[in-house]
Amino acid sequence: MPTSSPLRTKLQTSKLLQDFLQRHSGERIYLRDLLNEMSNRAFAPLIFICALPEALPLPVAGVSAIIGIPLMIISGQLMLGFSKPWLPKWIANRSLKRKDFEKIIKKILHYLQKCERVIRPRWRFVTSPLAQRLLGLLFLVLAFVIALPIPFGNLPPAVAIAIISLGIIEQDGVVIVLGVLAACAILVIMASAIAALLSVVLVHLR
């Protein structure tokens, strides 16, 4: 549709990420930079960027410790209907090296720009305020899983968070639904694996 072009330009996540890198040229990227940059754009872009380091198979040390708690706090605020995200200073002052952050962004841009050719605003009822609060609850659960010391258990929930938040940014309800289905499958599989492990441990303890 001709009228969709301005909206697409405004919403494209790849442009959002590129603009952020251009405006922040320091040696380290702080969470407070993301918070200040994204707070007026609502929660989804901030959640998306925070989830990226875990959603990509890149060797960036200490990422889980940096993003796990902020993701939980921001997701909880979205669930509770806060007007904009907030982080305490001791968390907002956490940072990543710029070269690591650039590595993450360049990796995601390669795939993201291709995805944006098919992502478009649709099923907007899935992006309503009430729906986003429910998604905030799902984000909170997934963020809690990311923070757990589970070997190779951080990547799947982070990917689900990135997909859902991308759908919110682009107002694409189809992407959100696909992300939610993937998140539910991930949680069921991980819960089953943990239950099986606990049962084995209990058997050996008897």
Side-chain angles (χ1 to χ4, degrees):
M1 294 176 61
T3 56
S4 66
S5 180
L7 181 62
R8 295 285 297 137
T9 302
K10 179 181 178 181
L11 292 175
Q12 278 190 331
T13 310
S14 58
K15 186 176 186 303
L16 187 92
L17 297 176
Q18 290 170 331
D19 289 347
F20 177 81
L21 277 178
Q22 289 176 359
R23 282 192 285 268
H24 296 274
S25 57
E27 294 184 2
R28 301 192 70 87
I29 300 294
Y30 291 86
L31 283 177
R32 64 172 181 263
D33 296 331
L34 291 174
L35 188 65
N36 292 335
E37 182 81 16
M38 304 297 169
S39 62
N40 292 330
R41 302 173 184 263
F43 289 81
L46 185 58
I47 291 174
F48 178 77
I49 294 177
C50 283
L52 284 182
E54 280 293 351
L56 297 172
L58 295 174
V60 180
V63 168
S64 297
I66 293 175
I67 70 166
I69 295 177
L71 268 177
M72 284 190 281
I73 293 175
I74 296 168
S75 299
Q77 292 172 357
L78 176 61
M79 179 186 68
L80 294 173
F82 280 39
S83 59
K84 62 180 181 178
W86 170 86
L87 289 173
K89 288 184 179 180
W90 66 274
I91 294 178
N93 287 331
R94 294 186 178 190
S95 66
L96 283 173
K97 292 181 181 178
R98 180 182 175 82
K99 63 178 182 180
D100 289 337
F101 192 79
E102 284 182 338
K103 187 187 301 182
I104 294 166
I105 297 302
K106 288 178 181 178
K107 183 76 172 179
I108 193 64
L109 285 177
H110 176 71
Y111 300 102
L112 186 57
Q113 289 171 340
K114 295 179 180 179
C115 292
E116 286 175 338
R117 296 172 187 172
V118 296
I119 295 175
R120 63 183 185 275
R122 52 189 167 176
W123 290 17
R124 293 194 182 182
F125 64 91
V126 185
T127 63
S128 68
L130 176 58
Q132 290 192 41
R133 292 183 68 170
L134 294 175
L135 292 172
L137 174 59
L138 180 59
F139 285 149
L140 181 60
V141 174
L142 293 170
F144 179 74
V145 173
I146 290 175
L148 294 176
I150 302 174
F152 309 107
N154 299 336
L155 177 61
V159 170
I161 290 176
I163 292 172
I164 298 169
S165 55
L166 175 62
I168 296 174
I169 296 168
E170 304 287 352
Q171 297 183 12
D172 192 334
V174 173
V175 172
I176 294 173
V177 170
L178 292 175
V180 169
L181 292 175
C184 292
I186 289 167
L187 291 175
V188 168
I189 292 171
M190 295 188 75
S192 300
I194 292 173
L197 179 61
L198 287 176
S199 64
V200 171
V201 171
L202 290 174
V203 167
H204 283 283
L205 290 177
R206 290 177 182 176

